Amino acid sequence: MPSGTRARARAETTRAILDEARRQLAEQGAAALSLRSVAREVGMVSSAVYRYVASRDELLTRLIIEAYDAVGERAEAARDPQAPPREQWRAVWRAVRAWALEHPAEYALVYGSPVPGYAAPAETIPAAGRVAMVLAAIVAEHGDPAAGRDWPAVVRADVLPAVPPALVTPAVGVWTQLYGTVGFELFGQYENVVDDREAYFDAVADAAATAVGLPARRAGRPGS
Amino acid sequence: MPSGTRARARAETTRAILDEARRQLAEQGAAALSLRSVAREVGMVSSAVYRYVASRDELLTRLIIEAYDAVGERAEAARDPQAPPREQWRAVWRAVRAWALEHPAEYALVYGSPVPGYAAPAETIPAAGRVAMVLAAIVAEHGDPAAGRDWPAVVRADVLPAVPPALVTPAVGVWTQLYGTVGFELFGQYENVVDDREAYFDAVADAAATAVGLPARRAGRPGS
DNA sequence: CCACGACCGAGAGCACTGCTCTTGACGAGG
DNA sequence: CCTCGTCAAGAGCAGTGCTCTCGGTCGTGG
């Protein structure tokens, strides 16, 4: 049985290491993250942090999971199930974009090109799907299957069980578009191209909503 | 005036360095690219390569430009201006995907998250636009401006002068979608999600063609 | 209550990296 | 022919990930 005192101290040190690592990640990016400098900042010698983190890769894995969870939480919090479908949709999209703009290095770590020699381990998978699940829930509840009639069924049916089969493929498409758009903005591809980034992003989100058959915004108030 | 013999030897050594660097990039990714190991493989000592390449960053910059040019060339070659618009479109999309699948590390270098501390210098800009120009040419020639009526005008009009103003914003959107889709496939996001990658990709390409108002594929032969 | 043993931090060390500076040789141009 | 620019080589600095060993400390089982 863990000792209590011992375990608490250990948890605190681990937290300090992870926090400092995330700080450095945010400031200089993933490749510049050095175990030695984390150790220095935390006040240990480099070999000591290996008692808490097996390797630099494992440190990155932990940061990846925390990042997935953070953006997933934001997306979940942004969704108001009472609001009209398209408003829910836009809120979630905006939440992902906002988080990405606030945490560019973490976003790059998670959705950018993988660090060479590093393959995302299996334990990242559940955390990775949280945003997708939020979007899928909106599609499942309000999507019109007719919107998917031009799409072939090339996606595994079981990945989004709640979504009407006809909408699964376009849903994957718009999921891709969300991250593609955020990534392009974040990595500077829209520099000197897109003027009003917010308006552009909202327009893409709206087109995506249409692609998965969310009902058009009504002029009157909903529920009439 | 350059000496001729001298200049030729210099050009050959430079090529050997760049080739070996690209080989290592392809095998182990950008972060694993080491100037020292390039030097070893080329048969020089590490300090000697600094006569040809100012720094590791400059080496990466050169590789980026070569990669942009390679994929741009492929895209240009894939387009047959005589073919029906949607066929041109699909051929270019497929060319980009094929190149990316053949050169994943180079694709990641160019379109993935930027290497930290590294800002793409200005000399990469012209090469970067080649694929976009090919797609823009198709849109300019065959796109129906009516397809852009739901899009706000939030993109600088001068980036794609040949494209009808109403289509500029959706064109940027589908340009994003191309790289988002290729990137997701390449970086493993479609693992256990998308079964038939080719069919999925073609479907996305076709939806994109519709978004920029390319005429629907006719049943009869064109030109009747 | 106390000794044992798990745990932990420190330090040295290995192999590697990017980059700089100095030294010596070679060969093309004046 | 001889000078001077160009080039390869080597040593060296500061940094990295990671391993191993050595003492000390502190919680826990007897």
Side-chain angles (χ1 to χ4, degrees), chain B residues 124-218:
Chain B
T124 65
I125 294 179
R130 287 179 67 172
V131 171
M133 288 308 117
V134 177
L135 293 175
I138 303 177
V139 174
E141 211 169 321
H142 303 104
D144 178 4
R149 64 183 176 280
D150 287 340
W151 290 85
V154 292
V155 176
R156 291 170 75 104
D158 53 339
V159 290
L160 299 174
V163 173
L167 288 180
V168 172
T169 306
V172 170
V174 301
W175 168 63
T176 305
Q177 201 165 18
L178 167 58
Y179 289 109
T181 305
V182 171
F184 259 32
E185 175 173 356
L186 216 59
F187 300 154
Q189 229 84 21
Y190 289 153
E191 222 68 48
N192 296 323
V193 174
V194 179
D195 276 331
D196 188 338
R197 309 266 162 87
E198 278 86 7
Y200 171 74
F201 184 80
D202 283 347
V204 173
D206 211 58
T210 304
V212 290
L214 293 197
R217 217 181 289 274
R218 286 286 311 278

Side-chain angles (χ1 to χ4, degrees), chain A residues 6 10 13 36 43-45 47-48 51-52:
Chain A
R6 213 77 151 181
R10 189 178 173 79
T13 311
R36 282 179 120 110
M44 296 195 290
V45 87
S47 59
R51 304 251 178 223
Y52 299 88

Side-chain angles (χ1 to χ4, degrees), chain A residues 28-218:
Chain A
Q28 291 147 16
L33 197 166
S34 138
L35 247 160
R36 282 179 120 110
S37 81
V38 168
R40 267 195 302 274
E41 221 64 31
V42 170
M44 296 195 290
V45 87
S46 76
S47 59
V49 318
Y50 283 89
R51 304 251 178 223
Y52 299 88
V53 164
S55 68
R56 187 177 176 273
D57 274 5
E58 203 218 88
L59 214 186
L60 282 180
T61 301
R62 294 209 190 180
L63 293 178
I64 285 178
I65 294 177
E66 291 196 357
Y68 272 131
D69 273 332
V71 63
E73 203 166 330
R74 277 282 277 277
E76 286 164 11
R79 179 185 178 214
D80 169 16
Q82 309 302 326
R86 273 181 128 87
E87 235 168 73
Q88 294 182 37
W89 185 259
R90 196 170 65 175
V92 173
W93 275 57
R94 283 181 171 177
V96 172
R97 174 173 179 266
W99 186 89
L101 292 179
E102 288 165 23
H103 308 86
E106 284 165 84
Y107 186 91
L109 175 64
V110 168
Y111 292 106
S113 27
V115 181
Y118 173 84
E123 57 258 45
T124 65
I125 294 179
R130 287 179 68 171
V131 170
M133 288 307 116
V134 177
L135 293 176
I138 303 177
V139 174
E141 211 170 322
H142 302 104
D144 178 3
R149 64 183 176 281
D150 288 339
W151 290 83
V154 292
V155 176
R156 290 170 76 103
D158 53 337
V159 291
L160 298 174
V163 173
L167 288 180
V168 172
T169 305
V172 171
V174 302
W175 169 62
T176 305
Q177 201 165 19
L178 166 57
Y179 290 109
T181 305
V182 171
F184 259 31
E185 175 172 355
L186 215 58
F187 301 154
Q189 228 86 21
Y190 289 155
E191 222 68 48
N192 296 323
V193 174
V194 178
D195 277 330
D196 188 338
R197 309 267 163 87
E198 277 87 7
Y200 171 76
F201 185 79
D202 283 347
V204 173
D206 211 59
T210 303
V212 291
L214 294 197
R217 216 182 290 274
R218 287 285 311 276

